[in-house]
Amino acid sequence: MEDTRLLFSSQAIADEDDYDINLSKVEIPVKYGSFSSLESGTLLDIEPNLNNYDDYDNNNENEQIKELSTEVPQGRHLGVFSTMVLFICRMVGSGIFATPSSILVNCGGNATLFLGVWIIAALVALSGLYLFLEFGSWLPRSGGKKNFLEQAYNKPKLMMSVSFGLFSVLTGLAMSNSIIFGKYVSSILDIQNLLYSRYISISLIVTVIIIHGFSVKTGVRIQNFLGGLKFILIFLICATGFYSMFFYDNSNENNLILWKDFQYDSELSLSSLASAFINAFFCFSGWDSVHAVSSEIKNPNRTLKLAGPMSLFICFICYLMMNLAYLKVLTYEEIKEAGPLVGSVLFIKLFGDTIGGKLMSLSIILSSISNVFIVLYGISRMNQEIFREGYLPFSKYLVKNWPTGAPFPSLLIGGLLSISWLVFLPPAGKSFDYLVNMEGYGNQFFLLLISIGIFIFRREQQYATASIRCPNMCVWTIILVSMYLLIAPFIGNQDINSVGHFPPYQVTALLLVYTGFLYWFITFYLTPKIFCYKLIRKVVIQKDGLSTTEWIHNYN
């Protein structure tokens, strides 16, 4: 299906792959044309003094560009159910079966503090969801955090766009759930060699890359199928919690639900509590990922407003029941020793080795597969949006929907980075917690900026009203919690924040943020000043209607 759009061009040069656009008027055919690759704050920002063109009334053209900016070649194909599948499959992954051990240990073994951390994480996730819903109502197109940060922080020019873009690509990883997949498959098959667990994790990532990279429809169908199975898993989790609370008898054991003191060997500190919260918040992390594919959602404002809160509520009930089961059935020593396999230990104790150890572990494996599908799907779309900006090296090759209409190059980058981390991190120890904390810390840094940015953006849009508004109390909640989480990890023993030869996770995350800033400073600020040129934006329309940006050196 083709739609003829009025674009800006003084010259349209058609070659085998695309069209080059410079400013004047020409009609060209575009399939689902999109300008969402252009910096969100300035949809078409080209130096006027360096291009010869006549003055014109561009109001109509800008409206057309804004219409184009919400569309992508894949079209809008995600309804309420598919969006809920994205939310729930992204949130209910391996986290609830892997992180409770480290969370309880970091809470000093105190059940009240443990449950309190989960409740606060859910409230912050809800606050963040409504923050994103408000920003998303202004910008109903793919990009998510990238678009929000660009709108709020447009000075210095391109700094936020480039810095966050590079950070997002470098941390667009699907490792945590693939690690759990490898561990649980190894457990079922009774494989003791840790290297084989790593190979199993890598094989899952490669398989998902192939499926998503060569067929959008097939990938989404598999996601929806696994999402349906995940709803069954959620029911089983809730039933497990109900059974544990009212029917399971462990009167002869230490019941952690009634335990109000701290364990004698615990190292409770501000840093450990921050790590506990980041791990719990990680389990809700899907609330902020669906906006990355807004351009593929039907009526995104209405759909996200319905699907987001409903999905978050379902996940919270699921997590609450599961955590109560952990506290009721297992002792502190069992939870601590189990580590990422705490879910398997719980099911074995409840239902025996055959049902609990095999069938329930299989459900955890399916949950991990579903989550990897969802994560890599979102990563590929976010990476493609960033490559469309043309900021990073080789962007014009990595942005393409190649070879079969899916963003395979963007997907491949996320997959290869995930595999690289799996190869270099130690196969045993705290690698899983390190990865979760590193990703969570960097995301918390940008979430703080987005929270402050909503006030900046509201002031600039004071004469307009958003269709969805986030309460100020929710915004301030995110700001205060984020500030605590960014400061607390530097307080106390840093050995618990490290793994192998890697620095503490918060240092690694900040180094990645700094790498993005340094790349912007050298490429887009310092080098043009030294060599006396200006970077001019050139809009390029691909054959499938996908708009991209290339940066031209102009020495005039």
Side-chain angles (χ1 to χ4, degrees):
M1 174 180 175
E2 291 194 350
D3 183 22
T4 299
R5 301 285 186 178
L6 186 64
L7 303 179
F8 300 108
S9 179
S10 59
Q11 184 179 9
I13 307 173
D15 59 24
E16 185 177 354
D17 293 322
D18 46 44
Y19 298 96
D20 292 346
I21 307 298
N22 295 323
L23 292 173
S24 185
K25 300 182 181 179
V26 68
E27 291 188 358
I28 63 173
V30 180
K31 291 187 292 184
Y32 310 106
S34 173
F35 275 83
S36 63
S37 67
L38 298 178
E39 185 187 359
S40 300
T42 52
L43 285 174
L44 191 59
D45 180 21
I46 301 179
E47 295 287 344
N49 60 324
L50 296 175
N51 294 275
N52 295 323
Y53 64 97
D54 297 329
D55 292 335
Y56 53 83
D57 180 6
N58 62 0
N59 290 333
N60 292 333
E61 288 87 341
N62 284 338
E63 290 301 317
Q64 290 170 346
I65 289 178
K66 290 177 181 178
E67 177 186 352
L68 291 170
S69 69
T70 65
E71 304 301 326
V72 292
Q74 292 89 345
R76 295 187 180 274
H77 56 93
L78 301 174
V80 174
F81 176 75
S82 293
T83 304
M84 286 188 66
V85 168
L86 286 176
F87 270 117
I88 292 175
C89 288
R90 182 64 180 86
M91 284 188 277
V92 183
S94 60
I96 188 59
F97 306 113
T99 60
S101 175
S102 63
I103 294 174
L104 183 64
V105 171
N106 285 322
C107 289
N110 184 281
T112 303
L113 194 57
F114 172 75
L115 293 175
V117 165
W118 282 97
I119 293 171
I120 293 173
L123 292 175
V124 174
L126 182 63
S127 300
L129 175 63
Y130 274 92
L131 171 65
F132 275 47
L133 287 175
E134 177 176 344
F135 253 133
S137 68
W138 292 102
L139 303 163
R141 60 178 178 270
S142 294
K145 296 177 186 177
K146 178 185 79 72
N147 294 341
F148 307 155
L149 289 166
E150 287 175 349
Q151 284 287 347
Y153 305 98
N154 47 33
K155 293 180 182 179
K157 187 174 178 61
L158 298 180
M159 183 193 72
M160 187 59 69
S161 303
V162 178
S163 300
F164 176 76
L166 183 56
F167 173 83
S168 182
V169 171
L170 292 176
T171 58
L173 309 171
M175 298 176 298
S176 52
N177 283 279
S178 60
I179 289 175
I180 297 304
F181 173 80
K183 287 184 177 295
Y184 274 85
V185 169
S186 298
S187 177
I188 285 181
L189 299 178
D190 197 25
I191 297 174
Q192 303 299 324
N193 192 325
L194 295 175
L195 286 177
Y196 285 114
S197 174
R198 175 182 290 177
Y199 298 150
I200 293 170
S201 300
I202 293 173
S203 68
L204 174 62
I205 293 175
V206 172
T207 302
V208 175
I209 289 174
I210 293 172
I211 294 173
H212 266 321
F214 288 89
S215 177
V216 174
K217 290 183 179 179
T218 301
V220 171
R221 286 192 185 114
I222 294 176
Q223 284 179 184
N224 287 343
F225 172 73
L226 293 173
L229 294 180
K230 186 161 286 191
F231 281 101
I232 298 175
L233 176 62
I234 289 172
F235 171 77
L236 292 175
I237 290 174
C238 293
T240 299
F242 185 81
Y243 170 77
S244 302
M245 291 300 297
F246 297 103
F247 297 101
Y248 180 78
D249 182 18
N250 66 341
S251 56
N252 295 326
E253 298 185 30
N254 184 5
N255 191 336
L256 276 174
I257 288 182
L258 304 177
W259 189 270
K260 295 182 173 57
D261 296 325
F262 296 95
Q263 298 293 331
Y264 69 91
D265 60 344
S266 65
E267 297 184 6
L268 184 67
S269 65
L270 290 176
S271 179
S272 70
L273 284 177
S275 179
F277 180 89
I278 289 175
N279 273 268
F281 199 54
F282 163 78
C283 294
F284 294 99
S285 59
W287 66 263
D288 64 345
S289 62
V290 180
H291 283 84
V293 296
S294 291
S295 292
E296 299 180 42
I297 297 176
K298 302 173 184 176
N299 193 357
N301 286 344
R302 174 185 175 276
T303 300
L304 289 169
K305 190 175 181 179
L306 290 173
M310 289 170 58
S311 302
L312 192 58
F313 178 75
I314 291 172
C315 291
F316 173 70
I317 296 300
C318 169
Y319 292 166
L320 180 63
M321 298 302 293
M322 194 66 179
N323 282 313
L324 289 174
Y326 287 131
L327 297 176
K328 176 73 181 294
V329 176
L330 302 178
T331 65
Y332 173 75
E333 288 74 21
E334 287 174 327
I335 295 175
K336 181 179 179 180
E337 292 299 322
L341 294 174
V342 65
S344 179
V345 173
L346 172 69
F347 291 131
I348 290 174
K349 194 166 185 178
L350 281 174
F351 307 113
D353 187 65
T354 301
I355 297 178
K358 297 294 189 286
L359 294 180
M360 295 305 291
S361 293
L362 181 61
S363 66
I364 297 174
I365 290 171
L366 290 174
S367 176
S368 299
I369 295 173
S370 173
N371 198 273
V372 172
F373 265 94
I374 295 293
V375 170
L376 284 175
Y377 180 85
I379 287 172
S380 66
R381 270 57 181 178
M382 175 61 78
N383 285 353
Q384 187 181 47
E385 288 296 316
I386 293 166
F387 293 140
R388 291 171 71 180
E389 302 279 8
Y391 301 139
L392 305 183
F394 310 109
S395 289
K396 67 179 181 179
Y397 304 109
L398 297 173
V399 73
K400 292 180 179 293
N401 288 313
W402 176 90
T404 59
F408 177 72
S410 298
L411 180 64
L412 189 61
I413 291 296
L416 290 178
L417 285 172
S418 300
I419 292 172
S420 299
W421 276 96
L422 288 173
V423 169
F424 290 113
L425 278 174
K430 301 182 296 181
S431 296
F432 177 83
D433 294 332
Y434 184 86
L435 290 173
V436 170
N437 288 328
M438 183 197 71
E439 291 182 62
Y441 190 91
N443 289 329
Q444 206 68 46
F445 174 80
F446 285 105
L447 181 59
L448 174 62
L449 293 182
I450 293 173
S451 304
I452 297 172
I454 193 65
F455 293 118
I456 299 173
F457 185 72
R458 284 174 181 174
R459 187 176 67 244
E460 295 175 350
Q461 305 292 329
Q462 56 182 317
Y463 298 111
T465 303
S467 58
I468 304 173
R469 187 173 178 87
C470 177
N472 287 337
M473 180 181 69
C474 293
V475 181
W476 280 109
T477 297
I478 300 172
I479 291 174
L480 294 176
V481 171
S482 297
M483 291 178 66
Y484 166 73
L485 293 176
L486 293 175
I487 296 172
F490 289 97
I491 302 173
N493 182 13
Q494 295 300 300
D495 291 338
I496 62 175
N497 297 335
S498 304
V499 62
H501 298 292
F502 287 84
Y505 68 82
Q506 69 271 20
V507 175
T508 302
L510 289 176
L511 285 174
L512 292 175
V513 174
Y514 177 72
T515 299
F517 170 79
L518 189 63
Y519 175 78
W520 164 81
F521 181 77
I522 294 175
T523 305
F524 289 86
Y525 182 80
L526 185 62
T527 307
K529 284 188 175 296
I530 292 176
F531 295 100
C532 301
Y533 64 82
K534 289 188 176 182
L535 289 168
I536 307 302
R537 190 194 307 268
K538 183 178 74 169
V539 179
V540 179
I541 308 298
Q542 305 290 335
K543 288 181 67 176
D544 62 358
L546 187 72
S547 66
T548 62
T549 299
E550 294 181 9
W551 294 89
I552 309 301
H553 293 187
N554 190 299
Y555 291 89
N556 293 333

